[in-house]
Structures are given as C-alpha cells and as structure tokens.
Amino acid sequence: MFYTHLRSFSEVCKYMFAPIRFCENFHQTLCVRVPFQWRRHWLLLVFLSSFFSRAPQVSVAFDVAYDRLLHQDIELENSISEIWDQKVQDNKSLYNGTKFRYGGHNLLCGDGSNQDSHVCLHLGLTDYRTFMGTNLNPQWEKFLVPSEDDSIRCQHTSSPLGNGAIVETSDRKLIVLQRSTNVGEFPGHYVFPGGHPEPQEIGITSHQYGKDLTGSELINKKVSQEMFDSIIREVVEEIGVPASTLCNTVFIGISRRELNVRPTAFFSIKCSLESKEIQQLYLSAQDGYESTQLYAVSLSELENMTSKMPGCHQGGFALYKLMVESLKNT
C-alpha cells in the first residue's frame, strides 16, 4: 500500500489512484491509502489548484542541468545507438528532432494575498533518438534509479515532455481521438489531442545556441509561452478547429505513465464550437491521418473509455476531474 496527500474536497477518493504532490498552503489535505495495482498505469506529478489566478500558472527554468545524465552501464548506453540505427534502417523517414526534457519541478507557494501559487517546470533538452533508446528501449527499466524523487529516478531517461488537451465544446462535450493503427505508440487507443512543445519554434536547437540566454528570464519566458502556444497548435492541427475558437487555456498538471515513465503536461481548453461543427472540421484536419475517428462525449461516457487510454492520458483525465471538482468548491 502507498500513501498520498490529496485535497479534501468531496468524494476525492473516487478520482485519485496515484500519488500527488501539493503546495502545503493550497488547501487542507488528507491522507489516503492507494493500492499498488491502482497506481500501475500512471502517476500524477503536479496538480495546480489556482485555476482563476491572474498571474502565470506555470513558469520554466530551462537549463543544461536538467538534461539527461549518462548511465554508467556502457552496454546499456550503446543500446541507444543500436536501437536508433535499426529504426532508421527500417524507416528512412525517421527524423531526430529536438524536444524539451522534463527534469522535475518546484511548486512555488504564494503568500495568499499578493503572490499566487504556481509551478516552475525544470526543462532541459533531449531528442527523439534518445527517447527511442531509453524510454522506448525494451530494457527501459534498467535506466531507472531507485529513488522516491522522480527527477532522480528518471535521470538517465530521455523523458521528453508531451502535452495533451481536454477540449470542452460549447455543448459541454469532451473531445477524444482514436489513434491510427499505423502510429508507433498505442495504435488504436483513445487519446486527447496533443503532442509536444517544440524547442525549434522559439529558435532553440541546442544549449550552445542559446548559451547567452540559458537560465535568463527572457529564454525562460519564451519556453513557458511555448508550453501554451504548442497545445493550441496541436489541437488546431489534430481536430481542425480554428485557433480563434479556442480560449481559456488552463494548465492543470503533469501526468506520467508508469510504462516507459513518459511525462505529459495537460491543459483544459474551451472551444466555442458545438461538437457537430467540430466533427465536420475534423474531416479536413491537417494531422487527421494520426487518428481514425473523433468522439465528442460526456464526462460519464469518457469514464468508460479510459481503460483503452495510455497511462499518461488516464492520468490527464484524473487531473481534469480534479479540476472540475475543485471548481465546484470555489
């Protein structure tokens, strides 16, 4: 059995199946026992409760200190290149793109008056090649370090930070996609629209490229803004809605699936269109080939679909339900 601290709103036990870390002054907490089998698929790393804050909800500390550390096992390290070389041989179109690496976070607690609580994400750089060779390595568990500190436990993995959006339509439906059978990860599974924040979008290709700005307020603000800009792009590209129809983008937290320890930042987004309109726009979506069908479902209907979601998206749904409950109590 495991223990975790959860916010004390009604029926919270029904929603929580994994440990969460909170700022102590967010709200009163209670201790709940969580069976191991319930936390097998995902882990919630961050849940943000200040949904109506005027201050930025999330900041970023971008630094080489949050890059992946090499593993001392030389053979294990060599397997990264071996896996990538084989993948490229099988698929010549593979591209080794740069991604932001999730290296942990700090929950910065406000004083309850002038300063709001928010999360500071620790981000470094990684790439698709290293992701394939660590997180997606058949021996991925060998890269892990025994530690209760998640950033230490995953210090040898690529851990690119993904993103996902729980999009609510004007007729109160939630958007879910069914992945194509041709995609590399979780073919045929249900997912929320999403992808990754992209370093290249803000001119970052390496730490050397931005060495004069690394750790500065300017680069950190740009990376933080990319967290929000990227999820809007992903929603537009994957479901076909105009960006002008999306509003109230709220960062709600980070979920990490236990399989391959992959982290994903989740956002809640409102769409001014009805679900029927979105269904039509989806037919001509730019990245529609990544999925085979779009569903517009109620909260209860989505509950029944989560068993066929990747672990990180199951965690994203748990974050959304926490947010909904939190807003009921404000």
Side-chain angles (χ1 to χ4, degrees), residues 113-168:
S113 56
N114 297 323
Q115 185 179 3
D116 292 296
S117 302
H118 74 283
V119 63
C120 178
L121 303 182
H122 299 164
L123 300 182
L125 286 178
T126 187
D127 55 39
Y128 188 61
R129 168 186 171 276
T130 311
F131 171 60
M132 294 285 290
T134 58
N135 295 83
L136 298 188
N137 192 317
Q139 305 181 84
W140 65 272
E141 290 177 294
K142 291 186 177 180
F143 285 96
L144 303 182
V145 176
S147 176
E148 290 297 316
D149 186 325
D150 195 72
S151 61
I152 295 176
R153 182 173 184 244
C154 301
Q155 65 185 6
H156 300 305
T157 61
S158 172
S159 299
L161 182 64
N163 60 22
I166 294 86
V167 178
E168 183 180 335

Side-chain angles (χ1 to χ4, degrees), residues 12-214:
V12 69
C13 299
K14 174 171 76 172
Y15 297 123
M16 292 313 304
F17 303 97
I20 265 186
R21 297 165 195 162
F22 291 102
C23 260
E24 291 182 0
N25 69 340
F26 272 174
H27 287 282
Q28 182 180 357
T29 62
L30 61 105
C31 195
V32 178
R33 301 180 74 185
V34 181
F36 175 77
Q37 63 268 27
W38 286 5
R39 72 188 292 273
R40 182 180 303 161
H41 301 297
W42 49 268
L43 175 73
L44 300 188
L45 302 179
V46 181
F47 170 65
L48 203 63
S49 66
S50 302
F51 299 112
F52 294 112
S53 170
R54 293 183 179 179
Q57 301 164 301
V58 58
S59 62
V60 167
F62 174 69
D63 197 274
V64 67
Y66 305 122
D67 284 6
R68 169 184 174 267
L69 299 181
L70 297 179
H71 199 283
Q72 61 184 7
D73 186 330
I74 297 177
E75 289 188 8
L76 192 61
E77 279 293 315
N78 289 340
S79 71
I80 298 174
S81 296
E82 293 168 2
I83 288 173
W84 179 251
D85 291 344
Q86 184 61 55
K87 293 291 184 182
V88 171
Q89 186 174 336
D90 296 339
N91 183 0
K92 302 295 184 183
S93 65
L94 278 182
Y95 170 68
N96 185 25
T98 303
K99 302 295 179 186
F100 288 112
R101 178 182 184 274
Y102 176 72
H105 68 275
N106 282 336
L107 288 172
L108 305 177
C109 300
D111 57 15
S113 56
N114 297 323
Q115 185 179 3
D116 292 296
S117 302
H118 74 283
V119 63
C120 178
L121 303 182
H122 299 164
L123 300 182
L125 286 178
T126 187
D127 55 39
Y128 188 61
R129 168 186 171 276
T130 311
F131 171 60
M132 294 285 290
T134 58
N135 295 83
L136 298 188
N137 192 317
Q139 305 181 84
W140 65 272
E141 290 177 294
K142 291 186 177 180
F143 285 96
L144 303 182
V145 176
S147 176
E148 290 297 316
D149 186 325
D150 195 72
S151 61
I152 295 176
R153 182 173 184 244
C154 301
Q155 65 185 6
H156 300 305
T157 61
S158 172
S159 299
L161 182 64
N163 60 22
I166 294 86
V167 178
E168 183 180 335
T169 67
S170 63
D171 52 342
R172 306 291 299 273
K173 299 293 185 180
L174 303 175
I175 300 301
V176 181
L177 300 173
Q178 185 165 24
R179 286 174 65 79
S180 166
T181 55
N182 297 320
V183 295
E185 290 187 87
F186 294 97
H189 280 60
Y190 298 124
V191 294
F192 298 112
H196 298 86
E198 301 290 351
Q200 297 93 329
E201 287 288 332
I202 52 175
I204 295 176
T205 56
S206 67
H207 287 292
Q208 182 65 29
Y209 176 83
K211 66 179 182 178
D212 294 333
L213 293 176
T214 298

Side-chain angles (χ1 to χ4, degrees), residues 260-283:
N260 309 129
V261 291
R262 183 168 189 184
T264 304
F266 281 92
F267 299 78
S268 170
I269 301 178
K270 302 283 187 181
C271 181
S272 62
L273 302 177
E274 292 189 352
S275 53
K276 288 183 179 179
E277 297 175 274
I278 296 174
Q279 290 279 9
Q280 288 298 313
L281 291 168
Y282 169 70
L283 299 177

